[in-house]
Amino acid sequence: MTRITVPDQPTGRLTDAWRRCVGTGRFELALRRDYQDSLALVQRDIGFRHIRGHGLLSDGVGVHRPYDHVGERHVHHSFTYVDQVVDAYLDLGIRPFVELGFMPSGLASGDQTVFWWRGNVTPPRSWSQWADLVRATVAHLVDRYGLDEVRSWPIEVWNEPNLEPFWQGADRGAYHRLYEVSAHAVKEVDASLQVGGPAISPGADGWLVPFAEFVTDRQVPVDFVSRHAYTSGPGQHVPFGTHQTLAPATELLTQFAAPRRHLAGTALADLPVHITEFNSSYRPDNPIHDTAFHAAYLAPVLAAGGDLVDSFSYWTFSDMFEEVGIPTDHLVTRHTDGRIAVLAWAPVDVTGLSPAPDRHPVALSIPLGPAGTTSAFLLRSSVSEEAGNAWAAWAEMGRPRSPAARQLDALREAAEPARTHRALPVAAGRVEVDLTLTRHEVTLVELSPVVDETPPWWDATRLLGLPAETDRKE
Amino acid sequence: MTRITVPDQPTGRLTDAWRRCVGTGRFELALRRDYQDSLALVQRDIGFRHIRGHGLLSDGVGVHRPYDHVGERHVHHSFTYVDQVVDAYLDLGIRPFVELGFMPSGLASGDQTVFWWRGNVTPPRSWSQWADLVRATVAHLVDRYGLDEVRSWPIEVWNEPNLEPFWQGADRGAYHRLYEVSAHAVKEVDASLQVGGPAISPGADGWLVPFAEFVTDRQVPVDFVSRHAYTSGPGQHVPFGTHQTLAPATELLTQFAAPRRHLAGTALADLPVHITEFNSSYRPDNPIHDTAFHAAYLAPVLAAGGDLVDSFSYWTFSDMFEEVGIPTDHLVTRHTDGRIAVLAWAPVDVTGLSPAPDRHPVALSIPLGPAGTTSAFLLRSSVSEEAGNAWAAWAEMGRPRSPAARQLDALREAAEPARTHRALPVAAGRVEVDLTLTRHEVTLVELSPVVDETPPWWDATRLLGLPAETDRKE
Amino acid sequence: MTRITVPDQPTGRLTDAWRRCVGTGRFELALRRDYQDSLALVQRDIGFRHIRGHGLLSDGVGVHRPYDHVGERHVHHSFTYVDQVVDAYLDLGIRPFVELGFMPSGLASGDQTVFWWRGNVTPPRSWSQWADLVRATVAHLVDRYGLDEVRSWPIEVWNEPNLEPFWQGADRGAYHRLYEVSAHAVKEVDASLQVGGPAISPGADGWLVPFAEFVTDRQVPVDFVSRHAYTSGPGQHVPFGTHQTLAPATELLTQFAAPRRHLAGTALADLPVHITEFNSSYRPDNPIHDTAFHAAYLAPVLAAGGDLVDSFSYWTFSDMFEEVGIPTDHLVTRHTDGRIAVLAWAPVDVTGLSPAPDRHPVALSIPLGPAGTTSAFLLRSSVSEEAGNAWAAWAEMGRPRSPAARQLDALREAAEPARTHRALPVAAGRVEVDLTLTRHEVTLVELSPVVDETPPWWDATRLLGLPAETDRKE
Amino acid sequence: MTRITVPDQPTGRLTDAWRRCVGTGRFELALRRDYQDSLALVQRDIGFRHIRGHGLLSDGVGVHRPYDHVGERHVHHSFTYVDQVVDAYLDLGIRPFVELGFMPSGLASGDQTVFWWRGNVTPPRSWSQWADLVRATVAHLVDRYGLDEVRSWPIEVWNEPNLEPFWQGADRGAYHRLYEVSAHAVKEVDASLQVGGPAISPGADGWLVPFAEFVTDRQVPVDFVSRHAYTSGPGQHVPFGTHQTLAPATELLTQFAAPRRHLAGTALADLPVHITEFNSSYRPDNPIHDTAFHAAYLAPVLAAGGDLVDSFSYWTFSDMFEEVGIPTDHLVTRHTDGRIAVLAWAPVDVTGLSPAPDRHPVALSIPLGPAGTTSAFLLRSSVSEEAGNAWAAWAEMGRPRSPAARQLDALREAAEPARTHRALPVAAGRVEVDLTLTRHEVTLVELSPVVDETPPWWDATRLLGLPAETDRKE
C-alpha cells in the first residue's frame, strides 16, 4: 500500500518541456491523409508545440532542382511540398523544429545513402551552393510565414553526424564545417533566428566540448545544444520485428543531464538544451512501444525530464498516446479553478526477474477547497493491460492483418481510457481516496469541489427503484 | 444465478416494430438546432424509421393563412416551415408519421386550447375548408417529396379525441365526422396513401367497435388502427416535477394487445395496429425517464412488443438512448457474419416493497462456429446505476442548472456505455460466459469467432513486462 | 463620366461603426438551425461585433419561473435557453448587445402585448422583483462568461418606450423609473458594466434632454445614449406586404446626428451614441430590402455614418448581405500589404421622377507601389440588378413559393457577386481603370501589385491557340 | 453565325462512356491528402465510375514482402496501403480499374526501371510466384470488398508492353506469357471476374491480331480489349516543360475505332473496348492541358467517343475540370423533368495558321414544354480564355510559384465558371436564344419551363427603383 498525503500548498511547478516537441518520420509522410489524421488526434489530446523529422532537403521533397538553359546549369528552388506540409502543421497548431538535411543528390559529393528511401549523407560538392540552398529555404519560410513566426522555430544542423550511417565517415571536422556554413546562412536571413547542433546520438558526448571550442574559436553563432537519448540494448531479430533489452528508465534522465554536465565551464554552458529524440528503443519495429508496460516505464521520465532540459521529443508520435508520469510514483497538479488532478502509475520490471505486481494499492489524502465544501466529484481515467489498450484487443481478435471496419470500430473504442466517476465526502478540507491500480496501469484522478444546486424540494426516496437508505448519490 | 443455454438453432425472428416510430414534441421544435442535433445522435445510434408529433396544422407552423384582397376573404397555404422540418427529417434518415391537427385559429369554431403553446382543439368552422386544408397539405407533400415516398408515411387523424383536453367535449360523433372528411380528403390526393385512427388514449377501448362500425357503414377508408399505451398512476406534484406510481411493465403489453382483441370479428380485424405513443408515464416532468431503473423496466417491452403490434412509438425521443430488452430476462440474436449478441438485464421492482438486487449473476452457454473455432472475442457494453449514466454523474456533480463546458464534457463521457473486452476459449463449439449484472444493469455481450492470424514466429514471452506463464492473451 | 483621382496619401480612416452591431428578431429565433446557419454566413462574410434583438425576458425564453412550495410563492430563474443562444452567438464570433425587456407575464402589471408572440409591455407589478430579475440575469451572464467578457456587452433598457405599442401609455415617467431601477441593478453586479438608454424611435428627440436631466438629478448611472433611425413614410398594404415612400438616404445621417445635437451642453454630451436600429423601412414585409436599389441606397450611409456615431445597427441581418458604401459615390481603402480597394456605386432615385441611369461610367486613377511595379492584378466583384441578385433570379423563375433543391442551388449561385479579373499596366506609379457600372450596381475593385515570377525561358508564343501579337496576358 | 434548330423529338442517346474511367498517377499518390481532396472535387462535379493508375504491385505499395525464417525464404503479402487507397476510392464513389504491374523487385528477373520512382519492368523470376502474387491480391480484394463489388472492376494486365521503357525488350512473346499466367490466376479466384489486355500504346495496332490468335489458340480467358490514344507529335523541351504539335482532335476518334477495326473477324470482335488512356499529349509537363484551348479541342471527342468504345479514360484527372463536348459544335440533352441543356463550343486551330475567332455567334431555337408554357428560365455557365480560367488569373498575377493564401482564394474563385441567368419568352412552344461565344469558350445553357406563382396582387411598378415600362423581369 502506497500512502500519499498531498500537502496543502504546492511545492513546485510542472514545466511543459515534455510537450515542447515530438518526433516524426521523414518529412514527405506529412503529405499523407492518414498521417495528418493521426497527428490531428494527437494534437487534440496532447497539443505538442513543435514537430521534428528527417529529410527536408532530400530528393523526395523536391526543393533543389537543377536545370540547363541556353547551355548553362542553374538551380531552381521549389517549395511546393514544403509549403503544403508546413501549412498542414500550422493548421494543426504545431510548428516545425527544422532539421537541415539530408543532401540533395544534385549537390552531393558521394552516393552513400541511409534508409530505404535513400537519404544522401555525404557532404555537399560545393559549400557555397549548400549555403545558397539553406539561405533560400530559410528566406522562403520567413517570406511565407513571417519573421515573428519563424523566429520561434529552432533550426538544427543535420542528424547524428557521429554515426557512420548518417554522416559519411562520421567525420567531425566535416560536420563542423557544415555547421559553420549552415549557421552563417541562417543568420544572413535574420540574426534573430535560432540555430543549433550537434544533434548527436547517445555515446558521443565526447563531441560536445570540441563543438563548443570550434564555435567559440571561429565565432560561429549557436543558440541551442541538441542530443538524443535511448535505453535499448542489442537487437534480437524476428521477421518484421526486433526485441531488445532496456536499461532502467532513470538512464534516460542521466542522458538528458549529459550536455549540461559536459559543457559546464564552456561558452555554451548556459544555452538551452533540446533532447531532439528520446525513447526506450529507436527501432519502429520493436513491439514494446505498443504495450501498457511502456506507458508505465516512461511515466517517471515525462514527469522529471523538465527539470533537466528545455525540451525532450518523443520519437515518434504515431504510437504515443498514453505516456505521461513522474518518478516517485505519482504527480499532483492544481488548476486555477479549484480542481486537483493526481496521476499515479504502477511499478514496472525491466529485468524480467521480479514480475510487476497484479495489484498496486494507493491511498490518497487530498486537500480540496474552498472552505465549506462538503462533497467532491471524482472522475478517473485509466489505461492498463486491460483498459484503454487497443493493442491488447487486437491480440484478442487474433492479430488481424487487415482489420474489417467493424473491428476498427471496436479497436477505437478499446483505445479510449476506462472512465468511472463518483461523489466523495470532503471532511476537514480533505478527500480520502483508496485506489487499486492493476498491472501496468497509469491512472488520472480528477477531483472537483461540488456546489450543490439540488433544489430544496428534491426527495430521492420518492423515485422508483432507488432505496432511500442505501442511495449512494444523496 | 440465472443459467441460459442458447440453443444451437434460432427459434424465432426479432421484428423491428420497436424502431418503426418514435414520438417527438410539437412540430415546430424541429426547427431548432439542439433538437436536430439530438435527433441526429438518436438516429446514428438507433435509426428510427418514422417520427410523430403534434401541431402540424397549428398556428405556429403557419400553414393556414387567410387574407383579404379586393374585398374578399382568401386562404393562402404556406409550407415553408413544413418543408424545412420534413427536409431535416429526411436528411436524418427518418420519415414523418403524419398527425393531422390541431385546428388553425382561422378555421376553428371555438377557442378551447391545449398546452402552453395553445393548440386549438375545437372542430372546424367549415368542414369543406378543413377538407381543403388537408387536401392542400397532403398534395403539397406528394408534390415535393413524390408519391412513392409519401405513400410510406402513415397519416393519422387527430390525437386522443376521447379526452376532453384534446377534443372539445370528447365528442365521439364529431370525431367520426372529422375522420370521415379527413380520410376522403387524403384519398382524393391519391388512393394509395395510408390513413387511420382513432388515436385513442388508454381507457377508451370502448371507442374501437363504434369506430369500426362507423367506417364500415359509411364506407370510409381506413388503412390502420392506432392507440396509445401508458402505465402511470395518479401524480404527486413537486415544483417543476411529478412523481407517479407505475403498473408492472407487462401491463404495457396487455394494452398493446387491446386493439386486436376488441376488433376481432369486425371489418378492421386484420388491419395493421400502431401504438402511436407508449411509455411508463406520459409526463415529461416525471424524472423516472432518466433513470437506469427505466432502462431495465422497459427492456422486456421492447423485446416482446413486436409480437403484438406493427409498431410502438416511444414518447418521446429526447430521453431514450438506452432502452432495449426482452421478457425472460435475455434476448439472443445471430448475425449473418457469425457474430452472436446477447442482451441481458437485471430485474426491477415497481412496488418499492422488494428492492431490486445489487448483483444478478448470469451464466451463458453460447454456440459459436464455424467448426474448428478455438477462440472467441467478447465485447461487452453496459448501462446501469453507475455506468453509461449521465443522470447519476449529474447528481454527483450537485445537479448543476447551467453545467459549464467542462461539466458537459464529463457528462457526455459518462453517458457512454462502459465497454470491456476479452478473449475466451471455444470448446466443443460453445463458449461459456459468467456475467454479474449490477443494479438495474442492461448489458450487451457480442461474441465473434477469432481467426488467428498471429504469425508463426511470434513469441509473447520475449516481450518485456508480459510474464509468459500468466499471459491471458496467448 | 465620373473621374476619380485617388491621392497619393491617405486622407482619413474608415471606422468600423457600421459593423459594430446588427439587429435580429426576437431572442428565441436564435435557437433555430436555419437562423444559426444564416448568421454563420453573415459572420463569415462580414463579421459583426454585436447583435441585438427583443424579448430576452419574455415568456418564451423562460427566465422568470414562479412556483409554489410549502404554501409560499418563490421565483426560480432559469437560463437554459439564454445560455444556448449566447453560446451559439459566441461560437459565431458575435457578442450580445443586451436589451432588457419585455415583461414576464408573472411579473407584469397589465396584459397589453406587442407582436403576435405577445411581448408584455406593461411596467412590473413589483419594482424590487424586477430589480431581482435584472440582477440575477446579469449576474448569471457574468458568472458563466466572465466579467471581462460581459463588460464589453452594452446593456440597453427597454425598446422604444416613446411608442404606445412598446410601452403602456408611452409613459415617460414610468420609463425613467424603469431605467433607474434597472441601471442600479446592473451596477450592483459590477460597476464596470455598461448600461444605457433611452432607445427611442425617430420623432421622439424631445425625450433626450428630460432623460439627461433625470439621470443627472438622481445620479443614475448611464454609459451610452441610444436611438433608432428610419426613413420610410406611410404604408400602402397589399396581402403579405407593404409599400412605402422613402426620404433620401441623407435623412438617415441627419437622424444619426440628432442625439449629439440635442444633448450638447448636458452631462451626457460626451457619451458614446449607439443607433441601435436603422434601415429605410422597419417593416420586414416591405420588399424594398431585397432589391439592388436598396444596396445602392444605403451605400453612402454605411460609409459616412461612422463619422457621426459609435455604432449603427442594421435592422435586421437576415436580408443584409450587400450593403456597404460612402457618400461622394466611392470609397478607397489601402491595406498594409500594398493592396488598394475601391468601392463605387451607381446613383439611385427615391422619387420615381428621374429614373436611375442604365450605365454609369467611372474613370479611376490609382497610385500603386512599390516603386518599380509595372503590372497590377485587378479583381472586381459586383452586385446589381442582374449580378449577385438572388431576388432577380427568383422573380425570373416565376417566384416559386417552395423552391425545389435544384432551384435553391441556382439561387445560391445567383447570390454570388459576379467576379472578373485582369492584368493592367502600372505607369508612373499609377493604374488607370475605366469602369462602367450598370443600374444600381455596387462594385468592389481590388488592385494588387504584381511580382513577376515568370521564368526567363517562358515563351507564350509557343503555346497552341495563343496568338503572340494579341496575348493580353504577356 | 451558327444556326441550330433543335428538333422536337430526341434523335439519340448520350452514353456515359466519357465518365466510365479516369486516369491517375501511380497508386501510392492516392495516400496523400491533397490528392484525395482534388479527387473529391472532381467526383462532386463529374462523378467518374472507375479510376486507373500504375504501380499497384511496385515496391512503394509494399504488397510483396519476402522474409527469412528458420533458414527458409517465405513471402508475406501485405495489403495495408492497398486497402487504404481502395477504401478512399470507394468513399469517394469511384471504383478501381485494376492494372496488374509493375514487378516487385523481390520477384523481378532484371533491374530495368521506368519513371523516377523506379517501377521495375522486367518479367518475373518465377512465373508461379507471379501467379501467387496475382491470386493473393485478387483474393484479398474479393475477401475485403465482396465478389459482387470486385466483379465490376476490370483487371488489365500490364501497361504498354509494346514500348521498350515499359516492358523489357518490348517482347511480345513474354507479354503473352504474362497475360496467360495472370488471366488464369484471376479466374482461379472467381470465373466471373473480368480480365483483359493488351493495353497497347498508339502505333502498335499490329499487336492486336496476334493477341487474339494467342488467346484463342490456348483458350486463355479475355473479357475486354484495351488500347491508348494520343495525338501529340515530337517534343521541344524547355526547362520543366515540353511543347508539342498536335494532330486534329478527330485523330483521337480514329484511334478509338482502331481495335474494333483490326479485330473484326477474330474471336475478340465483339468484346468491350476500353481506351484506358487518352489525351492530346501524354506528357504532364506540356502546359497545353491547362488552357481554354484544350477544353474546346477535346469537346467534340467527349461527345462522339461513346459511339466507338465502351469507355475512354482521360489521362489524368488532376487537370481536367472543363473538358466536355461533341463534334458538330453543339450537343443537346433533355432531362426527364422538362429541362433542356445545350452545350456549345468555339472552334479551335491546331495548326497556328488560321487563328481561332474572337467571337463565335450561335442562334438557338429550342422546343420547350409543356403546352401552355409562356416563359423560360435560362442559366448559362461558361469557361473561356477569360472566365472559369484559373490558369489565366495565375498568369495575370505574375505566375507566383508559392501563391499566398489570398492568391489561392482568388484562383479558386477564378476557376468557377461564369454564370448568368435571365427569363425568356416561349412562343409557339419554342425559345429563341442568341449567344456569342468568346475565344475558346465552352458554354452550357440550361433552360427550364417557368411555372408562374406570382400572386395576383403583385405589382412591380409599386417598387422603388424599378421603372415599370422597362422591367425585364415582369
Side-chain angles (χ1 to χ4, degrees), chain B residues 138-161:
Chain B
V138 175
H140 171 78
L141 294 175
V142 166
D143 192 42
R144 184 174 177 89
Y145 300 103
L147 182 58
D148 279 354
E149 175 62 37
V150 180
R151 197 181 279 136
S152 72
W153 306 357
I155 302 173
E156 188 183 33
V157 178
W158 216 256
N159 177 69
E160 302 190 347

Side-chain angles (χ1 to χ4, degrees), chain A residues 396 398 421 439 453 465 467 472, chain B residues 396 398 421 439 453 465 467 472:
Chain A
E396 290 164 5
H421 51 85
R439 194 174 164 71
E453 299 189 49
R472 87 198 137 78
Chain B
E396 291 163 4
H421 52 84
R439 195 174 163 71
E453 298 189 49
R472 86 196 139 78

Side-chain angles (χ1 to χ4, degrees), chain A residues 239 339 385 391-392 396 398-399 406 413 419 421 439-440 453-454 457-458 463 465 467 472-474, chain B residues 239 339 385 391-392 396 398-399 406 413 419 421 439-440 453-454 457-458 463 465 467 472-474:
Chain A
R339 242 184 317 152
E385 288 296 340
W391 194 71
E396 290 164 5
R399 298 190 171 80
R406 219 170 50 72
E413 286 175 2
R419 291 194 179 85
H421 51 85
R439 194 174 164 71
H440 297 154
E453 299 189 49
T454 304
W457 62 80
W458 179 254
L463 202 61
R472 87 198 137 78
K473 285 186 235 50
E474 304 304 319
Chain B
R339 243 183 318 152
E385 288 296 339
W391 194 71
E396 291 163 4
R399 297 189 172 81
R406 219 169 50 73
E413 286 176 1
R419 290 193 180 87
H421 52 84
R439 195 174 163 71
H440 296 153
E453 298 189 49
T454 304
W457 63 79
W458 179 254
L463 202 61
R472 86 196 139 78
K473 285 186 237 46
E474 303 306 318

Side-chain angles (χ1 to χ4, degrees), chain A residues 152-183:
Chain A
S152 72
W153 306 357
I155 302 173
E156 189 183 32
V157 178
W158 215 256
N159 177 70
E160 302 190 347
N162 61 295
L163 294 179
E164 268 276 6
F166 282 109
W167 183 238
Q168 186 180 282
D171 180 340
R172 196 164 76 194
Y175 176 73
H176 285 173
R177 178 100 195 254
L178 182 80
Y179 182 83
E180 180 174 25
V181 171
S182 305

Side-chain angles (χ1 to χ4, degrees), chain B residues 339-459:
Chain B
R339 243 183 318 152
I340 298 225
V342 180
L343 186 79
W345 53 87
V348 301
D349 164 49
V350 296
T351 64
L353 301 176
S354 52
D358 281 346
R359 293 284 175 271
H360 178 67
V362 176
L364 293 168
S365 171
I366 301 167
L368 197 78
T373 302
T374 60
S375 177
F377 178 69
L378 177 151
L379 185 63
R380 178 176 175 186
S381 309
S382 291
V383 299
S384 67
E385 288 296 339
E386 310 208 348
N389 193 330
W391 194 71
W394 175 76
E396 291 163 4
M397 284 176 184
R399 297 189 172 81
R401 290 176 196 175
S402 300
R406 219 169 50 73
Q407 290 177 309
L408 286 172
D409 285 345
L411 289 171
R412 272 187 213 105
E413 286 176 1
E416 285 293 305
R419 290 193 180 87
T420 56
H421 52 84
R422 60 186 204 264
L424 287 170
V426 180
R430 284 194 167 257
V431 184
E432 309 298 322
V433 190
D434 285 336
L435 306 174
T436 301
L437 276 65
T438 60
R439 195 174 163 71
H440 296 153
E441 178 169 347
V442 179
T443 195
L444 176 70
V445 170
E446 293 176 281
L447 281 159
S448 314
V450 165
V451 178
D452 195 348
E453 298 189 49
T454 304
W457 63 79
W458 179 254
D459 176 0

